[in-house]
Structure formats: structure tokens, C-alpha cells
Amino acid sequence: MPRPYASGIVPGDVEQVWRRVRDFNSLSSWHPAITHSEIEPGPGAGEVGAIRRLTLADGGVVREQLLTLDDVDHSYTYRMLDGPFPIRSYVSTIRLAPVTATGDTFVEWWADYDADAADEEKLTTTFADGVYATGITGLTNG
């Protein structure tokens, strides 16, 4: 099972960055590839079970469900329910940690997913670079 991964340093202390990231409905406010986000009826954006509907810059739609939310570990895990990617399963985690030497925040983001072998290389690059690295850069610039 492939594991796309990206990490980076975001200016600001971990609590400050976590406030931006924690809201499961906030992705469109800091990720440049997401033009709109809304929480479907049911659990709210800060509750396990929440489902967000994301509109991508190219018009595609992705639906994701929050599986875990950990304020101590500054992380959450979610799964993709629907989307334009040829995958059979996808579970992703974003986690923040303090950089004690500088007061900044280390952000890492990864997923485990299942897809046909012929699609894995392209999907891994798409997720690692186009989703995670782009999002971390969005946090850095925002």
C-alpha cells in the first residue's frame, strides 16, 4: 500500500496553526486547490463523523469523513468517501508538532490508499505534491 507524504515548517506556534487546521471545514481558507468547503448535515466540523464536501479548483468534488480528532496530538484523520481519483480506499492524517528551537510548527500530512498498481505512481505524486505539499505551502503563505 503506497504512502504519499509531505512535511514542512509553518511560521507560528503550534496552537496558532492548529486553530487554522483543526476546523474540518476550513480547508478552503488555506489550501489553494480547494475553492469551497461545506459540512453536510449531521455532525459539525469539530466532531468525529463530520462529512465535508470539497470543491476542487478544477471543479471536481471530494467528500471526506472525519475519523479522529486529537487536540493533544494536534492531528486528525479522515477518509475519502467519494472523489475523482481511481482509488478503493484512502485514509489520511495531518499532524502538527512544535519546533521548540524556533517557535514554529512542523506539519506532516500523509495517507494510506489502495489503487491499481498502474495508477499508484501518479496518485502518490498527486497526493504528496498536489495535495499535501500545496496545502502546507498554503498554511505557510496564509
Side-chain angles (χ1 to χ4, degrees), residues 108-126:
E108 58 182 340
W109 199 346
W110 70 90
D112 293 302
Y113 72 93
D114 186 34
D116 291 343
D119 296 324
E120 285 182 1
E121 184 177 348
K122 182 178 181 187
L123 287 167
T124 295
T125 299
T126 296

Side-chain angles (χ1 to χ4, degrees), residues 48-63:
V48 169
I51 297 174
R52 67 182 173 193
R53 179 183 165 93
L54 305 172
T55 303
L56 309 178
D58 67 3
V61 173
V62 175
R63 292 177 63 243

Side-chain angles (χ1 to χ4, degrees), residues 3 67 87 129:
R3 178 172 268 193
L67 300 176
I87 57 174
D129 298 340

